[in-house]
Amino acid sequence: MNEESFVRQLAASLPQGPDVTVGPGDDCAVLDFGFDELVLAAADQVVEDVHYLASKSSPADVARKLLNRNVSDIASMGGRPTHALVTIALMPVDEKWLSSFHDGLKNEASSYGISIIGGDIASSGKPGHFCSLSILGRVSRKALCLRCNARPGDLLFGTGSFGGSFASGRHINFTPRLAEAQFLAGRFTHAMIDVSDGLLKDSCRMAEASGLALELDLGKIPCASGVSIEAALSDGEDYELLFAVPPSVAEELKNLWPFKDLPLSQFGRFIEGPRGSVSGCDGLPLKIGKSGFDHFHE
Amino acid sequence: MNEESFVRQLAASLPQGPDVTVGPGDDCAVLDFGFDELVLAAADQVVEDVHYLASKSSPADVARKLLNRNVSDIASMGGRPTHALVTIALMPVDEKWLSSFHDGLKNEASSYGISIIGGDIASSGKPGHFCSLSILGRVSRKALCLRCNARPGDLLFGTGSFGGSFASGRHINFTPRLAEAQFLAGRFTHAMIDVSDGLLKDSCRMAEASGLALELDLGKIPCASGVSIEAALSDGEDYELLFAVPPSVAEELKNLWPFKDLPLSQFGRFIEGPRGSVSGCDGLPLKIGKSGFDHFHE
């Protein structure tokens, strides 16, 4: 069993109350507290020398990445972020490091209107920095996007370009597609995911969750500058959006797309077929799960 | 500047939106989403060889401690826990360890009716386990307890006995005082804290937050078996409750206390005086901040 299957199996047996509309397994959990909007919740972490190199990233970079990974998860559900809690384990408890981290976090959170409502700082007992952040958000009921909502015939669209995120430093200095997701959600799509583990893996997750197969049109996938199609498919941490668009609104979407600096591309189609299978990659030395990012990311 | 002052200063400048009734600095943040009850949120972590010894604690023990530290924070606000998110960084990504952790977490969460709604598992890049948990809860507006709510003349009460938590293993296998806190909150107290960093330190925090001084009556502090008064005052991780009781209801509380197996003691009094100062410890080799647990714990 691979790590993803193992963790999915564990998650499936966790207790869920009646107010949990969506539990573990999508980019966020969805809670129904009985008011107009739904509440979104997610948690993610950033570990030194796993998610960034200390030699190349400032503490403020680390804080921004930690927050923005989570904001990207809120975005892909169609929501907006509201509150966050942060824990840090580090040794030594270095005031200079913490001050820089704090400034990065504060500035980035302020730009979104996110309240940083609490957390914990502890010794890690050994050298290294381990940061975790939980985020809360809101989404209107009609804008909620789930990875399981793709329908047969829906077209697979994506924002931006793919691959080379680590080499280019984009995995640290990315901008979550929050405004774009809010434009899309409810109007052009109800099925969205952010690309944390690679275009191929994350688009497969949509197909699998939706009980469908996926046809990719490799020739239409926008590769980042200098990046091969293999890397565009399997590199992690693009933090772009993938989403399923009904054919009836695809032309309207292309005409109305207001983000002139960000490419919008259609490069696949969800179809009836073996659940989670992908066609169109024939001849490429790829298999799902090959991605360098096989950590589990709910 | 000590770590607590430093972190408090950082926290004070974090952005807070209008729905944040209480931000960082109490056991939980308090959010007002506009419905009958308030929402509570907190985050805490458990780090191998800092908060437990891997040689003495099973992964299920670690999961229980991680959850119960957070449940204790919800309890001390007068609330009940509802949802949690968990992140784990570990190396190797050991399925046996994760399965045992998962079982401990699932069973403990189920016993409280807590939904485990998401999280993340990642490589820690180096040996060791780093676990973080964020918890959500609910509290009625009239039961909400804050550490800043002690009033001059209020009596300081505590549950249970104090000290020796590490030697006895109680720091792992404790029961958060959830039922006790719900009995107390709103009826006998509006000012409560859980003892994570030692009786002296945490009672001082209440006094300081309330703008008051504290008189301790050392002779009445219940020490755990075999524990000195110094250790009872300064050891961490008792996870008992400290709370301020108006004299007008103190007798009623003693008469009605329904938890026959858990001592209830009165051993101090909040008074007008230098903010956060403590009297009654004269002659003991103690100073506030001496505690072995000087990590910051919101």
Side-chain angles (χ1 to χ4, degrees):
Chain A
M1 199 181 330
N2 68 17
E3 184 186 331
E4 182 161 348
S5 307
F6 168 71
V7 176
R8 196 185 299 165
Q9 193 183 69
L10 291 188
S13 73
L14 290 169
Q16 306 300 335
D19 62 356
V20 181
T21 302
V22 176
D26 210 315
D27 286 318
C28 296
V30 183
L31 308 179
D32 189 345
F33 287 176
F35 52 74
D36 286 357
E37 293 187 304
L38 298 165
V39 170
L40 301 172
D44 209 346
Q45 49 193 338
V46 168
V47 177
E48 184 178 308
D49 296 338
V50 174
H51 299 98
Y52 67 94
L53 297 173
S55 57
K56 291 194 175 178
S57 302
S58 73
D61 287 337
V62 175
R64 279 191 292 267
K65 176 167 184 171
L66 180 65
L67 184 66
N68 282 329
R69 281 168 76 101
N70 282 282
V71 169
S72 186
D73 283 329
I74 295 282
S76 69
M77 308 292 286
R80 60 181 202 288
T82 56
H83 306 85
L85 297 145
V86 183
T87 64
I88 305 169
L90 76 173
M91 197 180 84
V93 179
D94 171 348
E95 296 200 356
K96 194 172 156 203
W97 194 96
L98 286 170
S99 290
S100 166
F101 179 95
H102 171 268
D103 289 347
L105 182 67
K106 181 178 68 172
N107 293 338
E108 201 75 1
S110 296
S111 74
Y112 296 114
I114 297 173
S115 304
I116 306 288
I117 55 176
D120 183 66
I121 297 171
S123 170
S124 60
K126 54 195 79 169
H129 296 87
F130 301 83
C131 304
S132 177
L133 187 144
S134 292
I135 198 161
L136 300 178
R138 296 279 188 97
V139 62
S140 77
R141 287 167 195 265
K142 69 182 191 348
L144 178 65
C145 293
L146 303 177
R147 60 179 69 177
C148 65
N149 276 348
R151 297 288 168 261
D154 280 359
L155 304 173
L156 176 65
F157 276 76
T159 58
S161 56
F162 295 88
S165 171
F166 286 89
S168 68
R170 224 185 76 75
H171 76 105
I172 288 280
N173 294 308
F174 65 94
T175 304
R177 303 308 186 190
L178 187 60
E180 294 81 355
Q182 292 190 355
F183 169 79
L184 294 164
R187 184 172 178 190
F188 297 106
T189 187
H190 287 96
M192 191 147 56
I193 195 171
D194 73 322
V195 182
S196 51
D197 295 346
L199 190 161
L200 183 60
K201 194 168 198 173
D202 285 316
S203 59
C204 276
R205 285 176 174 153
M206 289 184 73
E208 187 172 358
S210 301
L212 297 173
L214 177 64
E215 243 176 25
L216 283 180
D217 186 344
L218 292 195
K220 292 188 180 167
I221 291 176
C223 301
S225 175
V227 166
S228 70
I229 183 68
E230 286 93 341
L233 285 164
S234 60
D235 283 357
E237 305 223 18
D238 294 305
Y239 300 109
E240 296 292 350
L241 300 170
L242 297 175
F243 49 100
V245 177
S248 59
V249 294
E251 279 309 307
E252 187 190 358
L253 168 59
K254 289 177 196 168
N255 293 334
L256 294 182
W257 182 247
F259 305 99
K260 296 306 171 197
D261 295 336
L262 187 71
L264 173 75
S265 311
Q266 184 250 310
F267 43 73
R269 202 159 64 98
F270 293 95
I271 56 173
E272 303 277 10
R275 181 178 187 152
S277 70
V278 183
S279 54
C281 297
D282 313 335
L284 287 179
L286 293 168
K287 65 181 179 67
I288 300 159
K290 168 191 168 295
S291 158
F293 262 72
D294 194 20
H295 68 261
F296 181 65
H297 175 248
E298 275 165 3
Chain B
M1 197 178 334
N2 68 17
E3 184 185 331
E4 182 159 348
S5 307
F6 168 72
V7 176
R8 196 185 298 166
Q9 193 183 69
L10 292 187
S13 72
L14 289 170
Q16 305 300 336
D19 62 356
V20 181
T21 302
V22 177
D26 210 315
D27 286 319
C28 295
V30 183
L31 308 179
D32 189 345
F33 288 175
F35 52 74
D36 286 356
E37 292 186 305
L38 298 165
V39 171
L40 302 172
D44 210 344
Q45 49 194 338
V46 168
V47 176
E48 183 178 309
D49 296 339
V50 174
H51 299 99
Y52 67 95
L53 297 174
S55 58
K56 291 194 176 177
S57 303
S58 72
D61 287 337
V62 175
R64 279 191 291 268
K65 176 167 184 172
L66 179 65
L67 184 67
N68 282 330
R69 281 168 76 102
N70 282 281
V71 169
S72 185
D73 284 328
I74 295 281
S76 70
M77 307 293 285
R80 61 182 201 286
T82 56
H83 306 86
L85 297 145
V86 184
T87 65
I88 306 168
L90 76 172
M91 196 179 86
V93 178
D94 172 347
E95 296 199 355
K96 193 172 156 203
W97 194 95
L98 286 170
S99 291
S100 166
F101 180 95
H102 171 270
D103 288 347
L105 182 66
K106 181 179 69 173
N107 293 339
E108 201 75 0
S110 296
S111 74
Y112 296 115
I114 296 173
S115 304
I116 305 289
I117 56 176
D120 183 65
I121 298 171
S123 170
S124 60
K126 55 196 78 169
H129 296 86
F130 301 83
C131 303
S132 177
L133 187 143
S134 291
I135 199 161
L136 299 178
R138 297 281 188 97
V139 62
S140 77
R141 287 166 195 267
K142 69 179 190 351
L144 179 66
C145 293
L146 303 177
R147 59 179 70 177
C148 65
N149 277 348
R151 298 287 167 261
D154 280 0
L155 304 173
L156 176 66
F157 276 76
T159 59
S161 57
F162 295 88
S165 171
F166 286 88
S168 67
R170 225 185 75 75
H171 75 106
I172 288 280
N173 294 309
F174 64 94
T175 303
R177 303 307 186 191
L178 187 60
E180 294 82 355
Q182 291 189 354
F183 169 78
L184 294 164
R187 184 172 179 190
F188 296 106
T189 186
H190 287 97
M192 189 147 56
I193 195 169
D194 73 322
V195 182
S196 50
D197 295 346
L199 189 161
L200 182 60
K201 194 168 196 174
D202 286 316
S203 61
C204 276
R205 286 176 173 153
M206 289 185 74
E208 187 172 357
S210 302
L212 297 173
L214 177 63
E215 245 176 23
L216 282 180
D217 186 345
L218 292 196
K220 292 188 182 167
I221 291 176
C223 303
S225 174
V227 166
S228 69
I229 183 67
E230 286 93 343
L233 285 164
S234 59
D235 283 357
E237 307 222 16
D238 293 306
Y239 300 109
E240 296 293 350
L241 300 170
L242 296 175
F243 48 101
V245 178
S248 59
V249 294
E251 279 309 307
E252 187 188 358
L253 168 59
K254 289 178 197 166
N255 292 334
L256 294 182
W257 182 248
F259 306 98
K260 297 304 171 202
D261 295 336
L262 186 70
L264 173 75
S265 312
Q266 186 250 310
F267 44 73
R269 202 161 64 98
F270 293 95
I271 55 174
E272 302 277 8
R275 181 179 187 151
S277 70
V278 184
S279 54
C281 297
D282 313 335
L284 285 180
L286 291 168
K287 65 181 179 68
I288 298 157
K290 168 189 168 296
S291 157
F293 261 72
D294 194 20
H295 70 260
F296 182 65
H297 176 245
E298 275 163 4

